[in-house]
Amino acid sequence: MDIPRIFNITESAHRIHNPFTPEKLATLGAALRLDSGIRMLDLGSGSGEMLCTWARDYGIVGVGIDMSRLFSKQAKLRAEELGVTDQVVFIHGDAAGYVAGEKVGVAACLGATWIGGGVVGTIELLAKSLCTKGIILIGEPYWLQIPPTEDVAKGCGADSISDFLMLPELLASFDGLDFDVVEMVLADQEGWDRYEAAKWLTMRRWLESNPDDDFAKDVRAKLTLEPKRYAAYTREYLGWGVFALMAR
């Protein structure tokens, strides 16, 4: 089990696999007013930066699940680096359908709502692991402005304009699911630039180290295209944020 190879290559140097900077991640942790010892579940935990830094800074304990062998390995190494291996566990596996054996105070899925077939299904899945009065964290894109054409939406990585909502409509959708939005932290331009542009140097260095790899042609094509695509589409049209929800 693993994610497509291109993601393991382009994001191999990333600690955070979304447009949050370390500062934004710390802001989110502080905003949630986490108590020491609170249990947390993170579906699609990537390289484990959220669980590891929050374990260090706030004393949380938790479990992360991710399909990438590379990212799961990096998460375990990060836990060792920060001295929190007794507080967090990382599992390499499919998070779809995963329910914690013990109820958690925070259940998160940041930027991987495909795990539950979309936002609604992911919230329903996370709720199965959540204790009463617990918090769900959903990381999700939204339109900064509606793309003028479907081709522009596809340039942002969406299948269609209808894949994402404007921020007010996204917040209203949580209300329609009978959840209160109790906090939100939004990515900024710097976060987007760090998330996307860091991939380009990673790809270039991978190409220099693997010139004869059968996959080099695909990586070269992506490196050539990505700066222009990002500047023309994602940077102009797409926002991203983490939304904290509590059931009514």
Side-chain angles (χ1 to χ4, degrees):
M1 180 183 297
D2 208 339
I3 61 174
R5 190 181 183 195
I6 190 63
F7 295 109
N8 276 327
I9 291 173
T10 60
E11 299 192 27
S12 60
H14 283 53
R15 279 187 174 170
I16 302 173
H17 301 275
N18 59 57
F20 263 15
T21 59
E23 293 77 17
K24 289 284 186 179
L25 196 58
T27 295
L28 177 62
L32 295 175
R33 309 169 200 173
L34 299 168
D35 294 324
S36 179
I38 192 170
R39 297 189 63 82
M40 184 170 175
L41 173 67
D42 187 10
L43 302 185
S45 51
S47 295
E49 191 71 1
M50 180 167 66
L51 282 177
C52 289
T53 56
W54 288 5
R56 176 196 63 191
D57 297 340
Y58 307 111
I60 65 105
V61 296
V63 175
I65 301 96
D66 200 271
M67 287 182 68
S68 169
R69 292 184 184 277
L70 173 63
F71 300 164
S72 298
K73 179 181 178 181
Q74 290 175 338
K76 293 175 183 178
L77 292 173
R78 185 62 167 154
E80 292 175 4
E81 179 184 0
L82 297 185
V84 295
T85 54
D86 60 336
Q87 294 169 252
V88 293
V89 174
F90 293 100
I91 299 169
H92 169 245
D94 188 354
Y98 185 92
V99 177
E102 184 177 346
K103 296 292 185 180
V104 301
V106 179
C109 182
L110 307 191
T113 54
W114 51 265
I115 286 171
V119 173
V120 174
T122 300
I123 290 174
E124 291 175 350
L125 174 60
L126 292 171
K128 294 178 182 178
S129 297
L130 200 66
C131 65
T132 303
K133 298 183 180 179
I135 292 176
I136 286 176
L137 298 180
I138 290 288
E140 185 70 3
Y142 59 89
W143 295 123
L144 297 172
Q145 53 180 319
I146 296 295
T149 67
E150 293 290 349
D151 284 343
V152 171
K154 290 177 181 177
C156 297
D159 290 326
S160 70
I161 294 172
S162 62
D163 279 4
F164 306 131
L165 301 169
M166 295 286 285
L167 183 57
E169 286 73 32
L170 179 57
L171 295 174
S173 73
F174 299 133
D175 180 73
L177 297 173
D178 213 22
F179 280 86
D180 288 323
V181 181
V182 296
E183 257 294 357
M184 73 175 187
V185 177
L186 304 180
D188 57 20
Q189 200 75 79
E190 173 66 13
W192 269 114
D193 290 349
R194 291 299 83 238
Y195 175 55
E196 293 290 347
K199 300 174 186 177
W200 310 337
L201 180 58
T202 300
M203 284 190 280
R204 175 57 189 261
R205 288 185 170 166
W206 184 91
L207 286 168
E208 291 170 352
S209 299
N210 301 273
D212 300 321
D213 193 290
D214 291 342
F215 202 52
K217 180 173 65 175
D218 299 89
V219 176
R220 161 47 60 192
K222 191 170 183 66
L223 175 56
T224 301
L225 173 66
E226 278 299 285
K228 300 184 285 289
R229 183 207 61 77
Y230 169 63
Y233 300 116
T234 303
R235 202 172 194 272
E236 296 299 314
Y237 291 94
L238 202 61
W240 194 87
V242 178
F243 308 92
L245 314 175
M246 294 182 71
R248 290 177 184 152

